[in-house]
């Protein structure tokens, strides 16, 4: 990946609110990040931190109401995806941007065989005949490492294991040669070994096909060896962003440092949790006027209760949203 290359996807100031009875949930607050061509970006954060809502917002996949994408720009192919017409968005989604979501709305349909489900985007987006689509569907199953592809195309989703179903969903997402693949990992359904296999497969495909990948997970350990760069989310915000090695070597945000202590070590096939982060995730009832992590933070100061820190550049393409400077061990002079 050439340094300074134009991003393939550029998200600025994204803000998404859900209107609920009696109020609002501020699920995504001023989220900005970019994705370089061919890059594998890991997005990490605990449950409810806004990972899925961020990705669904930028793909226009959230029903409105209750969702309201209130601000921001999402530049892809020279256009703002938040402003394009419905037809352009439909063509982009599932075409130039493939996605695999944990959401049931986008998962496999139990009443159609897998072959038909892989052929559908090929016919819809690529204008293939039934015969062409059948040939390509078989190639795609082979590409994602499903043996006996010819036979498997006739099988229904319930005849596949969880890991194999995930591969089928990746095959569908890859069908139209996307420039970008967004994968929201269904961590609950898959054990760590299978997750690791799927991620290995993604890395291999990313390198072979030259596409950029956004990989969403709870688990920093899962992205450690494979992502080029990592974005850490907490309470609907990006709290830290850095190239993977830099993040592990030099974690800046107290949340990231706490998260690193929870990275499980897999020994003898057993997963071992080292530590848990004490306290509760924030309630996202209003636009944040304080640091969302302050109640769980071991270096919080007065300022954190009435100011939400911006993301400070700490060098090496690394930034963190914290008033405490982990490099000096003192409050930031800003
Ligand atoms: N339809 C909805 N109505 C109201 N609030 C919602 C809705 N969907 C999501 N939220 C809220 O938005 C916030 C972010 O949710 P999101 O699904 O993005 O989290 P996540 O980081 O993907 O979590 P997980 O790791 O569990 O998938 C949460 O507080 C969630 O409760
Ligand atoms: Mg999610």
């Amino acid at each position: 990946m050439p340094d300074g290359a134009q991003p393939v996807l550029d998200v600025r100031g994204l803000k998404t609110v859900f209107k609920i009875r009696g109020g609002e949930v501020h699920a995504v607050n001023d989220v900005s990040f970019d994705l370089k061509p061919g890059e594998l970006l890991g997005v990490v954060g605990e449950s409810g931190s806004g990972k899925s809502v961020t990705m669904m917002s930028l793909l226009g996949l959230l029903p409105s109401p209750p969702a309201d994408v209130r601000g921001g720009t999402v530049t892809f192919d020279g256009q703002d995806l938040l402003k394009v017409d419905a037809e352009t968005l439909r063509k982009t989604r599932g075409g130039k941007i493939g996605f695999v979501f944990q959401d049931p709305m986008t998962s496999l349909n139990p009443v159609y065989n897998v072959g038909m489900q892989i052929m559908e985007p090929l016919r819809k987006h690529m204008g293939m005949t039934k015969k062409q689509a059948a040939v390509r569907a078989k190639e795609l199953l082979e590409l994602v490492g499903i043996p006996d592809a010819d036979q498997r195309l006739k099988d229904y989703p319930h005849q596949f294991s969880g890991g194999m179903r995930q591969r089928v969903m990746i095959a569908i997402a890859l069908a139209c040669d996307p420039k970008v693949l967004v994968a929201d990992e269904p961590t609950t359904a898959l054990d760590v070994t299978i997750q690791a296999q799927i991620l290995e497969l993604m890395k291999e495909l990313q390198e072979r096909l030259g596409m950029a990948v956004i990989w969403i997970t709870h688990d920093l350990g899962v992205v450690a060896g494979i992502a080029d760069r990592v974005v850490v989310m907490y309470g609907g915000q990006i709290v830290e962003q850095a190239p993977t090695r830099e993040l592990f070597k030099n974690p800046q945000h107290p949340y990231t440092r706490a998260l690193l202590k929870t990275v499980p070590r897999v020994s003898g096939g057993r997963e071992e949790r080292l530590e848990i982060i004490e306290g509760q995730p924030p309630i996202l009832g209003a636009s944040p006027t304080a640091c969302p992590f302050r109640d769980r933070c071991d270096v919080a100061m007065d300022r954190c209760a009435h100011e939400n820190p911006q993301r400070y550049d700490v060098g090496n393409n690394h930034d963190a949203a914290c008033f405490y400077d982990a490099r000096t061990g003192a409050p930031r002079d800003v």
Side-chain angles (χ1 to χ4, degrees):
M1 177 185 49
D3 235 15
Q6 277 288 96
V8 57
L9 182 72
D10 194 7
V11 178
R12 296 290 122 202
L14 188 67
K15 186 165 173 50
T16 303
V17 173
F18 290 100
K19 292 188 178 132
I20 53 166
R21 205 145 34 112
E24 293 182 330
V25 178
H26 289 248
V28 175
N29 290 304
D30 195 16
V31 160
S32 300
F33 67 95
D34 65 3
L35 180 70
K36 301 287 191 320
E39 179 180 45
L40 200 158
L41 180 71
V43 178
V44 182
E46 68 188 357
S47 191
S49 57
K51 305 180 298 294
S52 299
V53 174
T54 297
M55 299 308 153
M56 294 183 95
S57 301
L58 65 89
L59 291 171
L61 284 170
L62 292 170
S64 173
D68 178 13
V69 180
R70 278 206 187 149
T73 56
V74 177
T75 310
F76 177 80
D77 250 0
Q79 286 180 298
D80 182 356
L81 292 185
L82 299 184
K83 297 219 170 67
V84 297
D85 58 87
E87 180 58 20
T88 309
L89 190 59
R90 251 197 310 275
K91 277 199 183 130
T92 304
R93 212 167 53 199
K96 292 178 190 162
I97 304 181
F99 56 90
V100 182
F101 272 116
Q102 50 181 186
D103 193 89
M105 166 174 117
T106 54
S107 55
L108 297 167
N109 188 330
V111 304
Y112 295 111
N113 71 34
V114 152
M116 286 178 72
Q117 299 187 59
I118 304 179
M119 284 161 66
E120 200 210 273
L122 293 168
R123 303 199 63 193
K124 192 166 90 186
H125 292 290
M126 312 277 271
M128 286 189 187
T129 64
K130 212 170 164 183
K131 214 168 168 182
Q132 290 168 326
V135 172
R136 178 76 180 132
K138 180 173 173 249
E139 283 172 9
L140 283 162
L141 276 198
E142 283 165 354
L143 184 70
V144 297
I146 295 184
D148 209 6
D150 252 337
Q151 278 308 309
R152 298 301 284 187
L153 284 171
K154 296 178 199 138
D155 286 344
Y156 288 81
H158 73 268
Q159 291 168 285
F160 289 79
S161 68
M164 286 292 161
R165 264 203 298 273
Q166 182 75 355
R167 285 172 194 252
V168 170
M169 293 182 29
I170 292 170
I172 295 172
L174 293 176
C176 305
D177 296 325
K179 276 199 208 168
V180 173
L181 182 85
V182 180
D184 199 346
E185 188 179 51
T187 26
T188 44
L190 300 176
D191 71 45
V192 264
T193 326
I194 297 184
Q195 270 183 58
Q197 281 172 11
I198 302 259
L199 196 51
E200 276 300 336
L201 167 73
M202 288 308 309
K203 183 73 184 168
E204 194 193 308
L205 292 173
Q206 173 228 357
E207 280 167 1
R208 186 137 46 111
L209 309 174
M211 67 187 170
V213 175
I214 298 178
W215 185 272
I216 302 169
T217 175
H218 292 97
D219 199 330
L220 203 46
V222 168
V223 293
I226 279 169
D228 298 303
R229 197 153 57 89
V230 178
V231 157
V232 181
M233 288 195 73
Y234 186 83
Q237 304 180 30
I238 291 178
V239 294
E240 185 155 8
Q241 177 282 131
T244 310
R245 205 172 307 155
E246 162 73 14
L247 187 90
F248 276 79
K249 212 170 72 189
N250 252 331
Q252 297 290 308
H253 198 280
Y255 175 63
T256 312
R257 283 187 274 128
L259 202 57
L260 277 168
K261 293 187 189 147
T262 70
V263 173
R265 307 237 162 96
V266 179
S267 57
R270 288 241 322 267
E271 193 185 330
E272 185 190 345
R273 287 265 155 209
L274 297 179
E275 237 178 81
I276 54 157
I277 304 174
E278 298 277 335
Q280 294 298 315
I283 295 160
L284 305 171
S287 202
T289 52
C291 172
F293 192 61
R294 69 189 182 287
D295 291 340
R296 298 168 85 179
C297 181
D298 52 11
V299 291
M301 42 196 131
D302 289 348
R303 187 178 183 188
C304 311
H306 47 82
E307 254 183 281
N308 190 8
Q310 64 180 81
R311 283 161 61 187
Y312 296 102
D313 187 354
V314 293
N316 299 326
N317 184 23
H318 185 173
D319 59 72
C322 184
F323 291 128
Y324 175 83
D325 190 338
R327 296 167 304 176
T328 58
R332 217 175 278 284
D333 190 17
V334 283

